[in-house]
Amino acid sequence: MLTPLSFSLLRQLSDGSFHSGEDLAASVGLTRARVSQLLKQAETAGLALERVRGRGYRLLATPDFLEAESLRDALRRINVEVLPGDAKAPLLPAANDDDLALPGNAIPLIPMRPPISVEVVDQVDSTSSELLRRASRRDIHGALLAAEWQTAGRGRRGRIWTAVAGGSLTFSLGWRYEHGAGYLAGLSLAVGVAVIRALEAENLAGVELKWPNDLIYRHLKVGGILVEVNGDSLGPSTVVVGVGLNVRLPSNMKRDIAQPVSDLTAVAGRGAAPIDRNRLLARLVKELAQTMGTYGEHGFAPFAAEWQRRHAYQGKVVRLLLPDGASVKGTVAGVDSTGALVLADGPRRARFLAGEISLRRA
Ligand code: BTN
């Protein structure tokens, strides 16, 4: 578990130099023993530290911590409209809120391309859970929340999502649509396309999709997408898109994660410059915001062909593991307009809905 004080220590150590236990302790007003304890916990969160008697501590791999203002600058440089740092998300108009009611009972239109509000926190249970909590009262349309460390990161189908402080990207983007959940069924697949476009724009080519929206490199998982939709079946809806990416995972962490994983540093290849997480996150947000807008206007159709081209298993024989334990074998024919996987078995075609099925190479 990392605490705000651990982050304060890690920020000091992020210059890569040695800092004595005494200096670190004085800077945060703790004893040296407590500093040593906090740094031990940081190691369990995936940060590699060196301790040298007489010199102190230093971080072996120095993380480039996320920083809201750097992120806003990076977004502005790539022409994304960003709200100033002190802008507060507006309250949602509630039925009985007279002071918020619009003149003439007008229903406010949801802008297709809202400006992005950027918030970076050291730690939260889950960026998606936090945006979902806020959505009951505040307008989260265009709200980006990124965290260095999630204490209860969530994956699809109730799994936990493991990340490394300073070595992952974990963030969520809130959005609102006039549409209901049926129209939004293919959104999580479109988000997969957006993430891969962003990676390619940052010279990280070779990542593919695995239905419905895993991000894989050479069949190893490098990231995941969790799209959660709330609202009436006919709309409007509030959506929280959560994205987790492994940027630099220490090898012990790779071994500890239940499924075979890789990271974007492997995608970049040997000798490549270290990945700048603020810059990569800005590019991801740009592509995501564009995709969310396009999806609102045209649905999944503009993404279907590209999704299939980027699907690692397109045209391959696969085995689907169904939630009831049964399995089905077939050739991947593609996805339909709702994002359902279409499997062919001779002349027969069967559709499978996202979120229910695991996909394995046969
Ligand atoms: C998956 O199971 O593949 C989806 C993983 C999604 C993880 C991201 S990290 C940011 C956001 N917050 C969460 O708790 N989950 C998503």
Side-chain angles (χ1 to χ4, degrees):
M1 178 68 76
L2 294 173
T3 67
L5 284 173
S6 324
F7 277 102
S8 165
L9 295 173
L10 292 171
R11 286 213 159 76
Q12 292 182 61
L13 290 165
S14 69
D15 62 3
S17 318
F18 277 103
H19 292 255
S20 73
E22 206 169 356
D23 287 352
L24 289 172
S27 73
V28 287
L30 296 174
T31 61
R32 283 167 57 182
R34 181 73 184 124
V35 164
S36 153
Q37 204 180 21
L38 288 173
L39 292 176
K40 267 204 189 89
Q41 286 164 354
E43 283 184 295
T44 61
L47 289 150
L49 272 168
E50 187 183 13
R51 283 179 189 73
V52 175
R53 195 178 283 275
R55 297 186 77 186
Y57 302 87
R58 84 181 169 111
L59 274 173
L60 285 174
T62 52
D64 54 332
F65 283 109
L66 294 175
E67 215 272 307
E69 209 40 57
S70 316
L71 203 48
R72 284 187 202 102
D73 287 345
L75 280 163
R76 289 189 192 107
R77 275 197 297 277
I78 51 176
N79 303 320
V80 178
E81 197 191 336
V82 180
L83 287 176
D86 51 8
K88 211 165 164 38
L91 289 173
L92 280 179
N96 54 1
D97 261 351
D98 289 343
D99 53 337
L100 290 170
L102 292 170
N105 291 334
I107 299 171
L109 279 180
I110 301 174
M112 292 277 186
R113 290 177 168 74
I116 304 298
S117 69
V118 173
E119 185 179 349
V120 175
V121 293
D122 281 341
Q123 123 171 11
V124 68
D125 57 346
S126 143
T127 53
S128 289
S129 305
E130 175 60 19
L131 281 189
L132 286 168
R133 281 192 295 267
R134 290 183 192 176
S136 59
R137 188 75 184 127
R138 298 259 163 206
D139 186 2
I140 59 161
H141 195 39
L144 170 74
L145 178 63
E148 283 295 358
W149 174 248
Q150 297 186 124
T151 53
R154 297 185 289 112
R156 286 194 310 115
R157 294 147 78 207
R159 296 205 188 103
I160 58 163
W161 184 257
T162 310
V164 184
S168 306
L169 280 176
T170 50
F171 66 96
S172 301
L173 180 67
W175 214 260
R176 284 197 299 133
Y177 286 105
E178 305 283 3
H179 314 270
Y183 182 86
L184 300 174
L187 180 65
S188 74
L189 278 78
V191 167
V193 170
V195 171
I196 293 195
R197 285 181 187 169
L199 296 177
E200 285 185 355
E202 292 298 314
N203 292 323
L204 295 165
V207 176
E208 295 179 293
L209 293 164
K210 175 181 168 193
W211 184 84
N213 50 21
D214 279 358
L215 298 151
I216 59 171
Y217 177 64
R218 299 182 173 162
H219 301 292
L220 302 172
K221 187 151 169 169
V222 291
I225 292 162
L226 178 71
V227 173
E228 291 164 293
V229 179
N230 281 333
D232 292 337
S233 56
L234 294 177
S237 306
T238 300
V239 175
V240 172
V241 172
V243 179
L245 286 168
N246 307 333
V247 179
R248 281 178 291 273
L249 285 189
S251 23
N252 60 333
M253 200 89 166
K254 286 186 189 154
R255 282 193 300 270
D256 291 350
I257 297 177
Q259 62 192 127
V261 293
S262 183
D263 58 22
L264 295 178
T265 301
V267 176
R270 265 177 217 280
I275 296 168
D276 176 337
R277 290 187 312 138
N278 283 290
R279 188 186 144 132
L280 175 58
L281 179 52
R283 181 64 67 178
L284 286 157
V285 172
K286 180 186 169 97
E287 285 297 341
L288 276 176
Q290 249 160 22
T291 293
M292 305 294 276
T294 305
Y295 195 98
E297 285 175 289
H298 307 290
F300 184 59
F303 302 97
E306 183 174 349
W307 191 94
Q308 285 177 188
R309 187 162 51 76
R310 296 185 179 282
H311 189 210
Y313 298 87
Q314 183 67 19
K316 304 254 172 19
V317 177
V318 298
R319 186 174 292 283
L320 291 184
L321 307 177
L322 304 176
D324 63 3
S327 72
V328 187
K329 206 172 144 190
T331 305
V332 176
V335 282
D336 72 8
S337 62
T338 68
L341 185 74
V342 182
L343 275 195
D345 180 12
R348 284 191 317 192
R349 293 263 187 285
R351 293 171 63 240
F352 296 88
L353 297 174
E356 294 175 7
I357 295 155
S358 300
L359 188 149
R360 299 273 181 277
R361 271 181 299 166

